[in-house]
Every structure is written in structure tokens, then in C-alpha cells.
Amino acid sequence: MASSPLNAESSQPQEREAQHLPPKTYVDAAMENLNGDSEKENSAPSQYIGQGEDDAPRSPARKPHKRNGSLRVNGLRNKTSSQSLLVEKFQDRDGEHLTSINPLDSEDGGQQIHKSPSRRTEGGELVSGRRAGAGWEKSGIHWAPLNVPLKRRLQTLVVLWHTLSIAILLTTFFFLCAIPLFWPLLFPYILHLLFSTAGHSGTLSRRSPFLRSLPIWSLFASYFPARLHRSQVLPPTRKYIFGYHPHGIISHGAFAAFVTEALGFAQLFPGITNTLLTLDSNFRIPLYRDYALALGLASVSRESCENILSKGGPNGEGMGRAITIVVGGARESLDAQPGTLRLVLKRRKGFVKLGIRTGADLVPVLAFGENDLYDQVQPETHPVIHKTQLVLKKALGFTIPLFHARGVFNYDVGMMPYRTPLNIVVGRPIKVAQQKVPDEAYVDEIHGLYVAELERLWREWRGDFAKGMAGDLEFVE
């Protein structure tokens, strides 16, 4: 099939070379045809028509995603438009040319070729799927920036150590067991571990004031930050039982206030030696039990409590000593929901009887913000999980809350606590008259006074330390 030439000159490279004519591109031939033939001026040819149609290579079909991805990046791009034609010329790094001639379908200068297709076809409207990778631009995880101050990084490191100290020290022990060189030392150590009474003897002989006063604990307390507040001076001529509320997930506030000197316990309560109590099973964990004893921790067993409050002090009978009990225990940790303050206390009277037997005054402690450090599975939405946790608590004496907070390098997922202010307020002491066999009526009376003091702390300091809390103080079980 013959077709009329675009101009008098040949467009084939071989024929032009034979006629001693300079090379001519297809674009130049198309532009001459556009400007010289008025009858074809209003048309929009989609392919090259002219001499050499059957033999000359044609421009490739328009594929916007390939052109934008490779040609725009790898070479130079030039555009020439005239009325109904869009001529695009590309040049790569090697100097080779690729030219496209496309019709203009609208007044936007051909820019619509970069948009997602939305025109109707014979089968209906063409609908595009979601853009790949768009979700990463709207990720729900907020990552920590690289320019975090060194102090904040050190705070995170110390809190991470405290949170994982049991796992780290236990892993270290098993690693040492894998080295035969340490076996002669580990065997007698395990025997000592099985028969040691240091956790409940009450002597506090392994307590290390140096370890409790290290500057790293100031980093731990300033992570939240945490503050210790005193309602009344406590004379060192009495014994005391501090009741810490609420338990929270890990009781970070109790550790900062009563295990370390980061919050100035010795300055607020001079002459009083306080001991935070924990599960007796913790003193059967290799290496960790030595770490806990050096920090001044002791077992929460009845024997341990009575030994601490009846030994030591100026008179050798426990005067000037104090113990801190997280009264709600593991059961209360299951109710540690942000924005709430539910205390398991109605039937918890063992610590009251202990105070009456030993003659120790009861001191309520309310920690504002302890429940806000973690998020955990709610019992209302996951009742099966909650019932399973209660069964574990009854069978094993402890339970495992399903919790999360932030991570080391992000602010949304992980086991690190949120940076929420902790304010530990120590209330007024409840005077107790010693009885060898506590009377039930007297136990109820002291318990009622203790609950009333907790309510007073809540009413008096809620406006300062719990402004955003919508719920009220609740006593359950």
C-alpha cells in the first residue's frame, strides 16, 4: 500500500546518506508534515505515517509506568507540543534517542497520562486498586528520632535493665553453666541457694547502701519522672508497715521510692530503714536473688515480715524499721487499667493483723500514675483470658498480665513503660496497739481507718496528680 510522502526529501537514513543529506529524525518529519499540510492539521495521528512505513522501526506503545520509572531517571526528557500533538523526546546517558508522538486528549497539556485511568470501557468503569506502599507512609508506629538526648537514652537503658533483670541474670547463669571452668563454683553456689535463709531471716545483712544510692537510679526515677511526697514526719521510735497502692503491672513506683535513694527516702524519713517485700520464689532464682538482697529486698512471707519488725533497730526489737507491702498483689495487677484506680482491699486484712501482732503502725501509700504506665487486655472484652489468669493466680500464687506499652526505639509497641509522671504520696500513720492475738473487731476498726486515710489522700491530691482521670477510687474484693 502506497502513501504520500511527508516531504520531497527521503526519510530513510540509507537514502538520505546516498543523497548527501543530513540525518533527519522521525520527529522532524512529523513536525514538517504537521506545519505543511493544512488538511491534516486538525487530526491527531497516533502513529508515524510516511515513507519507510513497512521497514522503519516505530515508536513504542505508550506505557507511562515504564517511561516514568526508567527513561525519566536514566536520561533527559524534552517535550514539544503543538495543538493536537504531544511529541516527547528522550535521551539516555549513552546518547541514544527515543521519541514518542502522542495525541493530546484534553487541555491539560498531556499531563493526564500520569494519572490513574478512570475512563469507562465496554465492560463498565475501570477501577484502580490501592497504591502499593501507601500504608508505610501512614504507619501506626511512631519511631523514636535519632537525635534523642543522651540523658533520655540512658534513662531508657536503666529502666530496660530493671524490667528485664530477672531474664538477663537467669540467662547469664545458664551461660555460665555451659562453661566447665565454672562448675566447681556453681555446684556449691546451687547448694547455698537451696538452703539459704537470707531472704526471710530479717537480718538485712546483705543490704548494700552503696548499690541503693548509685546515680543510675536517679536516671530510673527521672524516666517517668517519679516523685515521693510526705504527708507527715514519722518518728524513728516506731515500727511501720507501708501499704503501697495500686500494684500496677510491675510496681515501678515502689521500686523507685523504697528500694533506691533516688527520691530521697532517707531525707524525708530519717532514721527509718525500709524494706520492700517481694515473692519468696524470687529468692530461688540464681544470681537475681543476690542482686535483690543487695538492694535490700526481702520475702513477703509471714516469717520474713515478723523477723524484720522484731529485730534490729536501736533497741534490737525492730524500732525504726519498716516494711513495704504491695497489698493488692498479683490479683490487683489484673485491674491495672489506665485511667482507673481499683484497689483489691475489702478482704485484705492480713497486713492489719500483722501490724497489730508486731505493734507496727500502718502507713497508706497512694501512687498516682502507676496504673497508667502500661496498657493491658481488658477483662470485659476478653473474659476467657481473664478467667485463665485467675486460675493461674489461684494455682501458682502469681499471674501473668497481658500488657504492652512502648518500645526502646518506638512509642507504641513494647514492654517499656510509658513516660507517665508518678507521684507517690505517703499518708498519715494509723496508730496500732499491739496484741498478741488480734481481736477481729479491732482488726476491722483499724482496717476502716486505713481505708479512710486512702480516701483522704485521693480526695486531697486527685486535683494535682490525677487531673485527667475520669474514674473514681474503687475498693473491690
Side-chain angles (χ1 to χ4, degrees):
M1 176 181 176
S3 58
S4 59
L6 288 174
N7 49 53
E9 298 177 350
S10 173
S11 61
Q12 288 295 329
Q14 295 84 352
E15 296 179 5
R16 294 183 62 84
E17 184 179 359
Q19 299 175 12
H20 304 287
L21 295 175
K24 179 181 292 187
T25 65
Y26 295 142
V27 178
D28 296 333
M31 292 303 299
E32 290 178 6
N33 180 55
L34 176 66
N35 297 328
D37 194 342
S38 59
E39 294 181 357
K40 299 180 180 179
E41 183 171 313
N42 296 328
S43 63
S46 58
Q47 65 177 2
Y48 174 80
I49 300 177
Q51 184 175 353
E53 175 185 0
D54 297 330
D55 300 326
R58 296 171 177 80
S59 299
R62 179 160 58 99
K63 296 181 180 179
H65 64 283
K66 289 187 177 180
R67 184 187 67 228
N68 294 341
S70 59
L71 295 175
R72 183 191 295 272
V73 175
N74 296 334
L76 304 175
R77 174 177 178 176
N78 298 319
K79 283 187 179 182
T80 305
S81 62
S82 175
Q83 296 179 354
S84 59
L85 279 184
L86 172 65
V87 180
E88 294 179 323
K89 181 186 299 184
F90 301 89
Q91 179 178 348
D92 60 15
R93 292 192 179 94
D94 297 329
E96 305 218 0
H97 295 77
L98 179 62
T99 303
S100 294
I101 303 176
N102 300 302
L104 296 179
D105 297 329
S106 61
E107 297 179 356
D108 60 358
Q111 296 299 322
Q112 76 277 8
I113 61 176
H114 301 291
K115 300 178 181 178
S116 298
S118 60
R119 58 187 173 84
R120 289 187 173 275
T121 62
E122 296 180 357
E125 185 178 357
L126 183 66
V127 181
S128 301
R130 66 180 182 90
R131 184 166 60 89
W136 290 96
E137 300 173 1
K138 302 177 181 179
S139 175
I141 299 179
H142 301 84
W143 298 97
L146 296 177
N147 58 344
V148 174
L150 177 61
K151 180 180 177 180
R152 292 178 68 88
R153 293 189 182 275
L154 294 177
Q155 291 171 347
T156 302
L157 180 63
V158 176
V159 174
L160 180 65
W161 157 256
H162 173 64
T163 305
L164 302 178
S165 56
I166 294 180
I168 293 174
L169 292 174
L170 188 59
T171 302
T172 303
F173 173 77
F174 286 121
F175 176 77
L176 295 176
C177 289
I179 303 176
L181 182 64
F182 290 97
W183 290 355
L185 299 177
L186 293 178
F187 182 74
Y189 174 77
I190 293 176
L191 292 178
H192 170 73
L193 182 71
L194 295 176
F195 298 102
S196 174
T197 61
H200 53 81
S201 64
T203 60
L204 305 181
S205 59
R206 303 283 298 275
R207 185 186 182 104
S208 172
F210 171 76
L211 180 60
R212 291 167 58 92
S213 303
L214 286 178
I216 61 172
W217 303 126
S218 294
L219 292 171
F220 175 87
S222 60
Y223 171 92
F224 303 99
R227 294 289 301 276
L228 180 63
H229 309 273
R230 181 189 67 191
S231 297
Q232 182 177 319
V233 176
L234 301 181
T237 55
R238 301 283 296 176
K239 311 173 187 178
Y240 302 97
I241 297 178
F242 288 73
Y244 185 86
H245 309 270
H247 182 283
I249 300 296
I250 306 182
S251 301
H252 287 295
F255 182 86
F258 306 121
V259 176
T260 75
E261 287 297 330
L263 303 184
F265 180 89
Q267 287 73 34
L268 291 175
F269 305 98
I272 296 178
T273 302
N274 197 348
T275 301
L276 180 65
L277 305 182
T278 184
L279 294 175
D280 185 70
S281 58
N282 288 333
F283 296 94
R284 296 292 180 263
I285 301 177
L287 298 185
Y288 178 77
R289 51 96 57 185
D290 303 283
Y291 172 68
L293 290 172
L295 285 173
L297 294 169
S299 170
V300 75
S301 66
R302 175 178 174 177
E303 178 186 4
S304 174
C305 295
E306 292 181 347
N307 286 337
I308 294 174
L309 294 175
S310 60
K311 298 179 180 179
N315 61 351
E317 298 180 356
M319 292 301 175
R321 282 197 169 186
I323 60 175
T324 298
I325 302 176
V326 185
V327 179
R331 171 63 186 87
E332 194 174 80
S333 67
L334 299 180
D335 292 327
Q337 300 288 345
T340 65
L341 192 57
R342 306 182 70 217
L343 305 184
V344 178
L345 189 58
K346 285 184 178 180
R347 293 185 293 179
R348 297 292 174 106
K349 299 180 181 180
F351 72 102
V352 179
K353 296 178 181 179
L354 174 65
I356 295 175
R357 284 197 304 268
T358 58
D361 297 340
L362 305 182
V363 184
V365 180
L366 193 58
F368 294 87
E370 184 72 57
N371 281 350
D372 299 326
L373 298 181
Y374 294 93
D375 293 314
Q376 73 164 313
V377 174
Q378 297 187 6
E380 295 80 8
T381 56
H382 299 82
V384 176
I385 295 178
H386 185 66
K387 290 179 181 179
T388 304
Q389 291 172 326
L390 293 178
V391 171
L392 288 175
K393 168 65 177 67
K394 187 176 182 179
L396 303 178
F398 66 92
T399 188
I400 304 175
L402 299 181
F403 65 92
H404 75 90
R406 55 159 293 173
V408 177
F409 302 108
N410 72 84
Y411 300 118
D412 302 285
V413 181
M415 297 181 61
M416 294 287 293
Y418 293 122
R419 288 181 178 265
T420 301
L422 281 174
N423 288 279
I424 301 101
V425 183
V426 180
R428 300 165 184 166
I430 311 298
K431 297 286 186 177
V432 173
Q434 186 172 7
Q435 297 178 359
K436 293 298 181 180
V437 180
D439 180 69
E440 290 297 328
Y442 188 57
V443 171
D444 294 338
E445 177 186 351
I446 298 299
H447 185 270
L449 294 175
Y450 183 90
V451 172
E453 177 62 14
L454 276 175
E455 291 175 335
R456 184 195 70 81
L457 290 175
W458 170 252
R459 291 192 307 269
E460 186 170 341
W461 299 108
R462 175 182 181 178
D464 295 278
F465 303 137
K467 295 180 181 179
M469 186 178 297
D472 202 355
L473 176 63
E474 301 180 54
F475 296 98
V476 297
E477 296 188 17

